[in-house]
Amino acid sequence: MARNLKFNIFRYNPQDPESTPHMETFSLEETDSLTLFIALNRIREEQDPSLQFDFCCRAGICGSCGMVINGRPGLACHTKTKDLPDEITLLPLPVFQLVGDLSVDTGSWFRELYDTVESWIHTSKTFDPNAQEERMEDAVAEAIYELDRCIECGCCIAACGTARMRPDFLGAAGINKVGRFLIDPRDERTEQDYYEILGTDMGIFGCMGLLACEDVCPKHMPLQNQLGFLRRKMGITALKNFFGK
Amino acid sequence: MSLPLTANHPTLNARRMDGVLDWAQMLTGVGLIAFMWAHMLLVGSVLLSPEIMNSIAAFFENSGMAQVGGPLIFALFLAHFVLAARKIPFRLEGQKTIWEHAKLIHHADTWLWVVQAASAMVILIMGAIHMWAVLSDLPIVALKAAETLQRNKWWLAFYLLLAPLVHVHLGIGLYRIAVKWGFAGRAERRGLKRFATLIVLVSVGISVLTLFRFWFMVA
Ligand code: HEM
Ligand code: SF4
Ligand code: SF4
Ligand code: FES
């Protein structure tokens, strides 16, 4: 027997002065291997063409379909309805600016983050297109790659109590991003440079260790380990600075 | 994200204190844990016999450790409060945000933090009352403690509330220190949580038994 699914979906269009935030209910017959991606598209096609939500890759790669699914931030394209109860409540991710309905602007947030943490390799070397590429240890390359897998979906930010209470918090994705450059031998930034970015309550010391980021990250990024490592590292720098002067 | 746009922007200050304060918050927490366990075992010694407890208490008083150590612990307690309070939302706006958030995401560890912050405020008040009551009425004698409890059963209720709250706050703190500072990684998290739960249960057990030992002590 196919289930009849009830969707409670947040509706609000900030562009329209008539619109007020409210929940709207849709029902849909469950089909085989139904994902929220397919379900939302069917609702939009068959029931309400004005429904706004974001998708691109539908394969958990682009990070645009993050939303709050029955209370948990997650990727809609990665979520099968068979893992959910009959009633499914969908909300846009908090923290990020609302575009409309389920669509939020994670792009601007991450853009600003990357400006703040200067998310690029800082090097004094000039690039020589004719030279052979520099070698890197396999283990180092893999460690960097592991931290680079983040798809910037924003789920860890939306799930973080700290990020919700303080808008200047870098969040797990941001802190992890700095950690990625910290282990990159090509980046010439010093311990003090990283401390400048991370060594505050806006960075690693703001994190309260609630680990919601770790528990919701759809890419299973090693956020807990990364946050622990960076807190120790920056903690040691903090002590050095405090007692060294 | 905040960019330094004003001359008094905190990130422009080269000697930032956040890291040192975070250490201090953790270390005052650890200090209080050590104290609470010692305290639990000393008072709990009444379960073995009231004489043992009395002689331990007498040792601490005669050597002056209770008179000096008591206020020191109180200072540690206040320091921990001031440090940890940096993380507590005192404005209604922040409280509403974290409450809505915890209700929304059904996430155990987020609730643990809410419990920790809420229990903290109760412990602050009740702990201060307790310390005042005990330290302003030395010496500590098992029979006197029993009398206090038996004469006014509100004291029993008071301690039956305070003791579990302290142990729950302490257990969550222990767990969070280990994950925050990376002493426990992803693989150890589950085991650590079980371990912390066990410690809380055993500690609450000992504390409640101790209280009932006083309650049923015959004068
Ligand atoms: C016997 C009493 C107490 C013990 C054993 C204790 C223990 C701890 C420990 C071990 C932590 C973890 C520290 C960390 O995460 O760095 C902690 C955190 C905390 N404590 Fe206490 N504490 C006590 C009393 C209090 C009091 C009176 C307050 C009053 C406000 C308080 C407020 C907090 C708060 C808000 C946190 C969370 C801090 C955060 O989120 O980072 N505690 N406590
Ligand atoms: S760390 Fe995980 S949850 Fe956070 S943005 Fe990256 S992929 Fe998404
Ligand atoms: S561990 Fe830190 S970054 Fe992750 S959800 Fe908690 S407070 Fe946010
Ligand atoms: S649509 Fe790209 S991650 Fe879901």
Side-chain angles (χ1 to χ4, degrees):
Chain A
M1 255 310 277
R3 286 191 300 169
N4 197 35
L5 301 174
K6 186 172 156 201
F7 286 89
N8 302 312
I9 299 180
F10 177 86
R11 302 301 306 268
Y12 176 50
N13 181 1
Q15 313 294 344
D16 175 4
E18 305 281 277
S19 170
T20 48
H22 62 281
M23 300 299 290
E24 194 171 337
T25 306
F26 299 91
S27 30
L28 198 70
E29 185 124 317
E30 190 170 36
T31 50
D32 215 20
S33 323
L34 184 69
T35 64
L36 288 181
F37 162 73
I38 302 172
L40 284 168
N41 273 293
R42 273 184 54 199
I43 292 174
R44 182 162 63 183
E45 252 158 55
E46 298 162 11
Q47 306 185 29
D48 186 344
S50 72
L51 183 63
Q52 299 184 63
F53 54 87
D54 294 321
F55 283 98
C56 192
C57 70
R58 55 162 177 69
I61 297 166
C62 72
S64 46
C65 67
M67 56 184 68
V68 182
I69 305 159
N70 281 353
R72 282 289 178 118
L75 297 179
C77 71
H78 247 195
T79 307
K80 295 208 175 74
T81 53
K82 77 169 163 51
D83 301 325
L84 297 172
D86 295 352
E87 193 168 336
I88 299 167
T89 300
L90 301 177
L91 302 170
L93 291 181
V95 181
F96 304 102
Q97 181 161 2
L98 184 70
V99 176
D101 300 339
L102 298 175
S103 169
V104 293
D105 179 9
T106 48
S108 304
W109 194 93
F110 276 96
R111 168 85 223 188
E112 208 175 319
L113 171 79
Y114 289 167
D115 282 348
T116 310
V117 306
E118 306 197 347
S119 170
W120 56 83
I121 301 264
H122 289 53
T123 178
S124 51
K125 292 191 190 132
T126 41
F127 180 63
D128 176 3
N130 298 316
Q132 261 204 354
E133 218 177 308
E134 260 180 74
R135 306 264 157 168
M136 184 187 281
E137 289 291 324
D138 238 16
V140 178
E142 268 170 31
I144 295 174
Y145 180 70
E146 172 70 3
L147 302 183
D148 243 350
R149 284 173 29 243
C150 167
I151 58 172
E152 301 172 19
C153 62
C155 290
C156 59
I157 312 298
C160 173
T162 309
R164 290 203 58 178
M165 286 192 288
R166 37 183 316 164
D168 61 353
F169 183 51
L170 297 178
I175 293 170
N176 172 66
K177 187 49 87 182
V178 184
R180 175 242 173 276
F181 289 100
L182 194 134
I183 59 167
D184 193 322
R186 292 165 301 180
D187 198 311
E188 289 164 3
R189 276 181 280 186
T190 61
E191 180 181 342
Q192 292 300 337
D193 293 331
Y194 289 116
Y195 186 70
E196 191 69 28
I197 305 169
L198 283 186
T200 66
D201 277 352
M202 180 180 99
I204 188 65
F205 298 119
C207 164
M208 302 194 294
L210 315 184
L211 295 185
C213 54
E214 161 97 0
D215 295 335
V216 302
C217 175
K219 304 309 280 183
H220 306 290
M221 296 287 297
L223 298 175
Q224 176 189 346
N225 294 351
Q226 191 61 10
L227 292 166
F229 163 71
L230 290 171
R231 185 179 227 106
R232 279 210 309 274
K233 178 136 186 110
M234 291 297 124
I236 290 169
T237 311
L239 291 186
K240 273 195 222 159
N241 290 353
F242 186 68
F243 291 109
K245 282 176 205 154
Chain B
M1 234 116 301
S2 60
L3 293 169
L5 295 174
T6 53
N8 61 352
H9 191 282
T11 58
L12 285 179
N13 183 352
R15 285 197 62 183
R16 281 167 305 167
M17 292 295 291
D18 294 352
V20 175
L21 295 179
D22 204 48
W23 274 107
Q25 175 186 323
M26 187 262 266
L27 291 174
T28 51
V30 170
L32 286 172
I33 291 183
F35 168 73
M36 279 314 305
W37 283 345
H39 178 284
M40 175 179 74
L41 295 179
L42 298 183
V43 183
S45 66
V46 75
L47 291 171
L48 301 175
S49 90
E51 287 75 43
I52 295 185
M53 177 188 152
N54 288 343
S55 53
I56 294 177
F59 166 74
F60 280 106
E61 282 149 19
N62 295 337
S63 60
M65 276 161 81
Q67 292 83 340
V68 179
L72 278 183
I73 292 294
F74 191 61
L76 185 66
F77 183 79
L78 287 183
H80 176 71
F81 160 63
V82 170
L83 290 162
R86 294 174 310 136
K87 309 286 168 154
I88 303 181
F90 282 100
R91 286 174 59 187
L92 185 62
E93 192 191 342
Q95 290 163 4
K96 259 163 73 180
T97 304
I98 192 73
W99 183 251
E100 294 294 325
H101 179 68
K103 278 197 309 190
L104 175 71
I105 73 167
H106 322 291
H107 178 252
D109 284 20
T110 301
W111 276 120
L112 288 183
W113 185 81
V114 174
V115 170
Q116 199 180 24
S119 63
M121 299 319 296
V122 183
I123 296 171
L124 177 67
I125 294 166
M126 294 180 80
I129 295 176
H130 160 71
M131 281 187 249
W132 185 266
V134 171
L135 293 176
S136 65
D137 191 20
L138 291 174
I140 297 168
V141 186
L143 213 53
K144 198 168 85 188
E147 256 175 34
T148 309
L149 288 192
Q150 292 175 15
R151 203 167 22 184
N152 185 346
K153 61 180 178 303
W154 286 108
W155 273 119
L156 179 70
F158 179 93
Y159 285 118
L160 277 178
L161 180 63
L162 178 59
L165 275 180
V166 167
H167 289 300
V168 166
H169 180 98
L170 179 161
I172 301 174
L174 192 69
Y175 166 74
R176 299 239 332 283
I177 286 177
V179 292
K180 261 164 69 173
W181 289 86
F183 302 128
R186 179 179 270 183
E188 290 85 37
R189 182 165 164 212
R190 215 178 225 284
L192 171 70
K193 217 172 200 173
R194 250 190 243 140
F195 173 72
T197 312
L198 185 73
I199 287 198
V200 172
L201 289 177
V202 170
S203 310
V204 171
I206 295 181
S207 305
V208 170
L209 282 179
T210 304
L211 285 173
F212 279 102
R213 179 72 186 83
F214 286 128
W215 180 246
F216 291 114
M217 194 174 280
V218 201

